């Protein structure tokens, strides 16, 4: 072999050796106890890094030298503790949480790799994504000694807001509180947008110390106004959530009252095909139920009701209209505009949903509601008489009688995981019980949601939609107004979703 051939062979061997021993500074954590550096060996054989050295700006000229028999296994990792101990796998320097540069060289002082990491917050690391790549990212879950994996960043989770007072007067501020959590572990930016019939304005929601709750105060508004609001949260990786999800097209709202609330629009049915007949014409027609929350009768003669928010005096109550203490009054919305035994309005309701308003004799708003599309014999009702929360009833309306409170009963202690048990009895007629469990590891900011669907995927009932502590619960599903067939019920809790099948036989 001539000199040129020998030189070329040596060059190939050197290149091969250099390639085979390419290592990477793969991940850095600068806010730990101790800090650490992870080195990655992408090769298919072990690499001995005895005598190799690593340093940061504080140790330029006095590099930390890896001790004898320091080997990184094939396709494996080596973690160095950066704690200033200068022995074994403990370097002679610490890392700056404000960010700095790290250099890594072989035993011949040939630079193998370098990384410049940024300022890091507690609990986060900076690494290649994936292992050995040129792309770096911040890890909210460090992977010391293991393959770098960045989980899909989830947007913040916004709970159901609470409003105090529920029925504000014209001289009262309204405080909105909401729980917001995020998988990045960093407090998100939370903003409340509100519109008091003058266009949306924003308020930064302030965190409540030692909780995941945020709070904002909506200023005093004029009586009779409807105030709409929604909440937006953004995490440190710019993932955004809205509550309600369809905001600003959908929104939360409240009315501003002139006087303390006494009489409520309590239940609405806009397609009464077989539920209850009116006492005068014995027909199945739309109805609006009013509820008197006081301990004395309320005379509503001369009051007004409407399905048109721009015409608040569309229909006037007759002279014989009195609601008993803690009692109910059914108003029949059938376009007849009469009062024989019961009052009948000069308008009917749309099953596709619309506005209904109640106003006193001075045309001051008492209560209003905008209801959603309803099924035949389905009603829109307050979850407990006079309460602020509205629910859809797909069967079993309660005209002229107290509205039920849909709730769940906690019956067993905490379990280790989610469960959704088979309903019992099954098959059933007309009611059955559904039992489910939430683990202690669950997110307290999330609502547990139990829903029932028919075989076509149509929502039949929402049985549960509220924050629940860890434990086992049982809820009753009444299908008295449903036809025989197969139905499905599901438990939803964040990313967890389980569905079971049940049979209704009549």
């Amino acid at each position: 072999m001539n000199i040129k051939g020998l030189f070329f062979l040596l060059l190939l061997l050197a290149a091969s050796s250099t390639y085979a021993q390419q290592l990477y500074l793969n991940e850095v954590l600068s806010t730990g106890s101790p800090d650490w550096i992870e080195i990655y060996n992408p090769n298919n054989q072990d690499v001995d890094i005895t005598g190799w050295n690593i340093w940061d700006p504080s140790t330029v000229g006095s590099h930390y030298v890896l001790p004898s028999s320091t080997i990184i296994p094939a396709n494996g990792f080596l973690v160095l503790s950066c704690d200033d101990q200068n022995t074994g796998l403990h370097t002679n320097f610490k890392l700056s949480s404000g960010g700095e540069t790290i250099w890594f060289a072989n035993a011949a002082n040939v630079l193998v790799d370098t990384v410049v990491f940024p300022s890091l917050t507690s609990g986060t690391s900076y690494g290649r994504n994936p292992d050995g790549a040129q792309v770096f990212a911040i890890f909210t879950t460090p992977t010391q000694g293991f393959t770098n994996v960045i989980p899909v960043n989830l947007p913040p989770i916004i709970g159901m807001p609470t409003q105090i007072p529920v029925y504000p007067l014209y001289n009262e501020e309204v405080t909105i509180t909401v729980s917001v959590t995020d998988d990045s572990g960093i407090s998100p930016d939370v903003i409340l947008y509100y519109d008091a019939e003058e266009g949306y304005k924003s308020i930064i929601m302030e965190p409540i110390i030692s909780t995941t709750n945020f709070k904002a105060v909506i200023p005093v508004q004029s009586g009779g106004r409807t105030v709409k609001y929604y909440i937006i949260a953004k995490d440190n990786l710019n993932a955004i959530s809205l509550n309600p999800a369809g905001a600003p097209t959908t929104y939360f709202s409240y009315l501003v009252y002139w006087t303390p609330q006494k009489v409520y629009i309590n239940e609405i049915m806009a397609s009464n095909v077989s539920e209850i007949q009116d006492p005068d014409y014995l027909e199945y027609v739309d109805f609006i139920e009013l509820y008197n929350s006081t301990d004395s009768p309320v005379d509503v003669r001369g009051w007004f009701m409407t399905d048109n928010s721009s015409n608040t005096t569309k229909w006037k109550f007759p002279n014989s209209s009195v609601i008993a203490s803690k009692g109910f009054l059914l108003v029949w919305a059938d376009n007849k505009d009469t009062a024989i035994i019961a009052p009948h309005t000069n308008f009917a309701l749309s099953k596709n949903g619309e506005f209904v308003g109640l106003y006193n004799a001075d045309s001051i708003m008492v209560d209003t509601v905008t209801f959603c599309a309803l099924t035949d014999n389905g009603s829109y009702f307050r979850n407990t008489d006079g309460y602020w929360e509205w629910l859809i009833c797909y069967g079993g309306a309660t005209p002229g009688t107290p509205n039920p409170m849909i709730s769940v009963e906690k019956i067993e202690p905490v379990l280790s995981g989610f469960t959704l048990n088979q309903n019992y009895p099954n098959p059933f007629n007309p009611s059955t019980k559904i039992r489910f469990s939430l683990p202690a590891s669950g997110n307290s900011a999330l609502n547990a949601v139990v829903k029932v669907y028919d075989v076509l995927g149509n929502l039949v009932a929402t049985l549960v939609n509220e924050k629940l502590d860890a434990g086992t619960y049982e809820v009753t599903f009444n299908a008295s107004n449903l036809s025989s067939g197969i139905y499905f019920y599901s438990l939803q809790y964040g990313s967890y979703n389980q569905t079971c099948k049940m049979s209704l036989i009549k």
Side-chain angles (χ1 to χ4, degrees):
M1 181 180 294
N2 58 32
I3 297 297
K4 288 184 178 180
L6 180 61
F7 176 77
F8 182 70
L9 178 60
L10 292 173
L11 185 62
L12 282 177
L13 290 173
S16 176
S17 176
T18 301
Y19 173 78
Q21 295 190 352
Q22 174 61 55
L23 305 179
Y24 295 96
L25 299 172
N26 200 52
E27 188 176 0
V28 175
L29 185 140
S30 61
T31 59
S33 298
D35 303 338
W36 49 263
I37 299 169
E38 177 189 83
I39 303 172
Y40 171 56
N41 173 17
N43 305 289
N44 292 325
Q45 64 274 345
D46 298 348
V47 174
D48 187 337
I49 59 172
T50 298
W52 291 38
N53 50 103
I54 190 167
W55 69 99
D56 75 345
S58 69
T59 55
V60 172
S62 57
H63 305 170
Y64 173 69
V65 179
L66 276 298
S68 176
S69 300
T70 302
I71 296 174
I72 307 181
N75 301 302
F77 306 89
L78 176 74
V79 176
L80 301 177
S81 296
C82 301
D83 53 11
D84 213 14
Q85 292 188 19
N86 195 26
T87 182
L89 298 181
H90 298 258
T91 69
N92 62 344
F93 59 88
K94 297 180 180 180
L95 301 180
S96 170
S97 62
E100 59 173 314
T101 302
I102 304 169
W103 294 271
F104 183 43
N106 63 20
N109 284 321
V110 175
L111 189 65
V112 175
D113 196 17
T114 185
V115 62
V116 179
F117 66 89
S119 173
L120 297 174
T121 57
S122 178
T124 63
S125 64
Y126 184 71
R128 297 179 184 273
N129 181 34
D131 299 318
Q134 297 303 308
V135 177
F136 284 83
I138 294 176
F139 291 76
T140 56
T141 302
T143 57
Q144 180 182 6
F146 297 95
T147 297
N148 289 355
V149 177
I150 291 188
V152 175
N153 179 52
L154 298 176
I157 298 171
I158 306 175
M160 184 63 63
T162 59
Q163 171 192 319
I164 299 177
V166 173
Y167 301 105
L169 299 177
Y170 66 94
N171 59 351
E172 293 180 314
E173 298 177 329
V174 173
T175 299
I176 307 296
T177 304
V178 68
S179 174
V180 182
T181 58
D182 187 61
D183 64 323
S184 69
I186 298 175
S187 180
D189 296 323
V190 184
I191 300 176
L192 181 142
Y193 289 87
Y194 76 95
D195 176 10
E197 302 179 9
E198 297 177 342
Y200 275 104
K201 300 176 183 179
S202 63
I203 304 175
I204 296 175
M205 301 192 75
E206 299 295 334
I208 300 175
I209 298 175
S210 301
T211 73
T212 60
N213 294 330
F214 291 75
K215 180 177 70 173
V217 177
I218 297 178
V220 169
Q221 303 296 330
S222 301
R225 287 194 176 188
T226 297
V227 179
K228 307 172 184 177
Y229 68 92
Y230 66 92
I231 297 164
I232 183 169
K234 181 175 71 173
D235 69 14
N236 61 309
L237 298 177
N238 294 319
I240 294 176
S241 291
L242 293 167
N243 194 14
T249 303
T250 57
Y251 45 81
F252 300 106
S253 66
Y254 61 86
L255 301 170
V256 182
Y257 294 87
W258 288 104
T259 59
Q261 185 73 329
K262 295 180 179 179
V263 177
Y264 298 88
I265 299 172
N266 205 51
E267 186 172 8
I268 292 171
M269 182 172 284
S271 183
N272 176 17
V273 298
S274 61
E275 185 68 29
I276 184 174
Q277 291 182 324
D278 79 82
D280 296 314
Y281 302 95
L282 301 181
E283 296 175 346
Y284 294 102
V285 293
D286 305 343
F287 68 78
I288 302 164
E289 178 192 81
L290 302 183
Y291 170 65
N292 172 16
S293 65
T294 71
D295 294 326
S296 302
V298 173
D299 188 346
V300 296
R301 57 184 173 182
W303 288 29
F304 300 95
M305 188 173 285
T306 182
D307 64 346
N308 184 347
S309 59
S310 62
N311 181 7
T312 59
T313 59
K314 184 173 183 178
W315 177 76
K316 188 175 184 178
F317 280 82
N319 289 335
S320 59
S321 301
V322 176
I323 310 177
S325 168
K326 306 295 184 183
F328 306 91
L329 174 66
L330 285 184
V331 178
W332 302 93
D334 56 5
N335 285 311
K336 289 187 167 60
D337 196 16
T338 59
I340 304 174
I341 298 175
H344 299 253
T345 69
N346 59 358
F347 61 88
L349 301 178
S350 169
K351 66 181 293 185
N352 294 321
E354 64 171 318
F355 169 90
V356 176
L358 176 67
Y359 298 82
N360 68 15
D362 296 319
S363 298
I364 294 175
M365 180 270 296
V366 176
D367 197 14
T368 71
V369 63
T370 299
F371 64 93
C372 58
L374 298 174
T375 59
D376 291 344
N377 287 340
S379 72
Y380 194 58
F381 71 101
R382 293 183 183 271
N383 188 15
T384 303
D385 299 316
Y387 189 54
W388 66 274
E389 180 185 30
W390 286 84
L391 298 176
I392 300 174
C393 175
Y394 292 89
T398 60
T401 60
N403 290 351
M405 183 179 78
I406 295 179
S407 62
V408 292
E409 179 185 2
K410 189 172 184 179
I411 58 175
E412 290 182 3
V414 177
L415 299 182
S416 59
F418 292 99
T419 60
L420 179 62
N421 297 338
Q422 185 64 51
N423 64 301
Y424 64 95
N426 187 48
F428 67 98
N429 178 28
S431 64
T432 186
K433 295 183 182 296
I434 296 172
R435 183 175 295 188
F436 61 96
S437 299
L438 307 177
S441 59
N443 187 333
S444 61
L446 295 176
N447 277 22
V449 181
V450 177
K451 295 183 178 181
V452 179
Y453 301 87
D454 63 20
V455 291
L456 299 177
N458 298 312
L459 179 64
V460 172
T462 298
L463 303 180
V464 182
N465 187 1
E466 58 184 292
K467 296 180 180 65
L468 298 174
D469 295 330
T472 298
Y473 296 84
E474 190 172 86
V475 62
T476 299
F477 171 53
N478 189 312
S480 58
N481 282 15
L482 296 176
S483 58
S484 297
I486 300 298
Y487 292 87
F488 299 89
Y489 60 97
S490 68
L491 168 62
Q492 302 166 43
Y493 191 91
S495 60
Y496 177 85
N497 193 323
Q498 184 179 347
T499 301
C500 295
K501 182 170 67 175
M502 58 185 174
S503 299
L504 171 62
I505 300 178
K506 293 187 173 181

